[in-house]
Amino acid sequence: MEISTFFLIGIPGMEHAHIWVLIPICLMYLLAILGNCTILFFIKTETSLHAPMYYFLSMLAFSDLGLSISSLPTMLRIFLFNATGISPNGCFAQEFFIHGFSAIESSVLLIMSIDHFIAIYSSLRYTSILTSARVFKIGLIFAALCIMFALPFPFILKRLKFCRKSLLSHSYCLHLDVMKLACSDNRVNVIYGLFVALTSLLYLGCISVSYMLILKLILGIASHKGHLKVLNTCISHICAVFIFYVPIVTLAALHRFAKKCFPSH
């Protein structure tokens, strides 16, 4: 008999304290949503912020906002009402939005690292290289590519049969987590998931190379004032990285820690 409902999980062994866990989770999500909305509002209304660096920052804020809104509903249901069930179609849809916005965010982080390199390496030609029209085109192209990357996920999951296991290991749906529950051949899912993971690693490698080149340029600047000016150019990107990664890493670490301390039976 095919499974009609998946079951998400909160923090194993701490079901009795879910309402208390909900408070810091809600605060983190509230801060993320309000923070990103504030960034978008100021960049839209302040004409002095209508520059490539801030356009990229607004793209990052938009993708982070989408990621927060995509994962929040199931977490609220679990921690507030202990409602862990989700339909397969609902799960596949959530998984598409989470992976899609995550891919967009990774892409924007890559674009921002290249943007900062250009700003430092060729500061005099920066405005002529990255015009508003080019920024819009770059953002549109990367967003389209990210949607294309995430779009196959729900379809290759929908073709699978789920007949035995129904318990997922997170508070939201992820492709890797769902495909492991399948009782039919999931080789296509494994191959495509590996391809997307390697693409993400390539992005990370490019970001690392960009910042190594930026570091090399910084070391080539003789004056201390010059060092500070260059670092100030990168500060918005560093803040954006922290805003994106800290909540995710915190929740992931909390989930892993609780799972090891309170293994499910």
Side-chain angles (χ1 to χ4, degrees), residues 62-172:
F62 175 77
S63 58
D64 191 47
L65 191 61
L67 189 59
S68 299
I69 293 171
S70 300
S71 57
L72 183 60
T74 51
M75 296 189 76
L76 283 177
R77 287 177 67 240
I78 291 168
F79 291 108
L80 192 58
F81 304 110
N82 201 29
T84 59
I86 185 171
S87 67
N89 286 336
C91 190
F92 301 157
Q94 185 188 45
E95 171 261 344
F96 164 73
F97 285 111
I98 288 175
H99 287 297
F101 281 117
S102 295
I104 291 172
E105 204 143 351
S106 298
S107 297
V108 178
L109 288 172
L110 170 62
I111 296 168
M112 287 178 76
S113 66
I114 297 171
D115 166 68
H116 291 138
F117 173 74
I118 294 172
I120 297 165
Y121 180 75
S122 186
S123 56
L124 297 177
R125 296 177 57 222
Y126 176 74
T127 52
S128 61
I129 294 172
L130 282 175
T131 61
S132 296
R134 282 179 183 167
V135 168
F136 179 77
K137 287 178 183 177
I138 290 168
L140 201 61
I141 289 168
F142 270 89
L145 287 172
C146 291
I147 291 169
M148 286 173 60
F149 270 116
L151 193 59
F153 279 132
F155 295 102
I156 60 177
L157 283 175
K158 198 171 179 64
R159 55 179 282 278
L160 298 176
K161 290 184 178 180
F162 302 91
C163 48
R164 288 192 298 271
K165 299 177 182 178
S166 60
L167 184 63
L168 298 167
S169 57
H170 292 280
S171 303
Y172 39 82

Side-chain angles (χ1 to χ4, degrees), residues 38-265:
T38 303
I39 290 170
L40 289 170
F41 174 78
F42 277 110
I43 291 175
K44 180 177 172 55
T45 54
E46 289 290 331
T47 53
S48 61
L49 300 180
H50 292 177
M53 181 175 69
Y54 295 103
Y55 289 146
F56 291 134
L57 188 61
S58 66
M59 293 177 199
L60 192 67
F62 175 77
S63 58
D64 191 47
L65 191 61
L67 189 59
S68 299
I69 293 171
S70 300
S71 57
L72 183 60
T74 51
M75 296 189 76
L76 283 177
R77 287 177 67 240
I78 291 168
F79 291 108
L80 192 58
F81 304 110
N82 201 29
T84 59
I86 185 171
S87 67
N89 286 336
C91 190
F92 301 157
Q94 185 188 45
E95 171 261 344
F96 164 73
F97 285 111
I98 288 175
H99 287 297
F101 281 117
S102 295
I104 291 172
E105 204 143 351
S106 298
S107 297
V108 178
L109 288 172
L110 170 62
I111 296 168
M112 287 178 76
S113 66
I114 297 171
D115 166 68
H116 291 138
F117 173 74
I118 294 172
I120 297 165
Y121 180 75
S122 186
S123 56
L124 297 177
R125 296 177 57 222
Y126 176 74
T127 52
S128 61
I129 294 172
L130 282 175
T131 61
S132 296
R134 282 179 183 167
V135 168
F136 179 77
K137 287 178 183 177
I138 290 168
L140 201 61
I141 289 168
F142 270 89
L145 287 172
C146 291
I147 291 169
M148 286 173 60
F149 270 116
L151 193 59
F153 279 132
F155 295 102
I156 60 177
L157 283 175
K158 198 171 179 64
R159 55 179 282 278
L160 298 176
K161 290 184 178 180
F162 302 91
C163 48
R164 288 192 298 271
K165 299 177 182 178
S166 60
L167 184 63
L168 298 167
S169 57
H170 292 280
S171 303
Y172 39 82
C173 294
L174 299 174
H175 175 257
L176 180 64
D177 203 17
V178 177
M179 77 172 189
K180 286 180 178 179
L181 302 182
C183 55
S184 57
D185 186 7
N186 64 358
R187 278 179 294 182
V188 173
N189 300 71
V190 172
I191 293 168
Y192 191 71
L194 182 62
F195 168 70
V196 173
L198 289 174
T199 304
S200 300
L201 286 176
L202 178 63
Y203 275 27
L204 184 59
C206 291
I207 292 170
S208 301
V209 169
S210 295
Y211 271 94
M212 283 192 285
L213 293 172
I214 289 171
L215 182 61
K216 184 180 178 182
L217 291 173
I218 291 173
L219 293 175
I221 298 171
S223 68
H224 178 69
K225 187 178 179 180
H227 288 166
L228 292 176
K229 187 178 178 181
V230 172
L231 288 172
N232 187 52
T233 306
C234 301
I235 197 69
S236 62
H237 184 243
I238 294 168
C239 290
V241 170
F242 273 101
I243 290 170
F244 172 53
Y245 283 107
V246 167
I248 293 175
V249 172
T250 302
L251 288 173
L254 187 64
H255 177 85
R256 296 285 182 182
F257 176 77
K259 196 170 182 180
K260 286 179 181 179
C261 293
F262 306 100
S264 56
H265 298 287

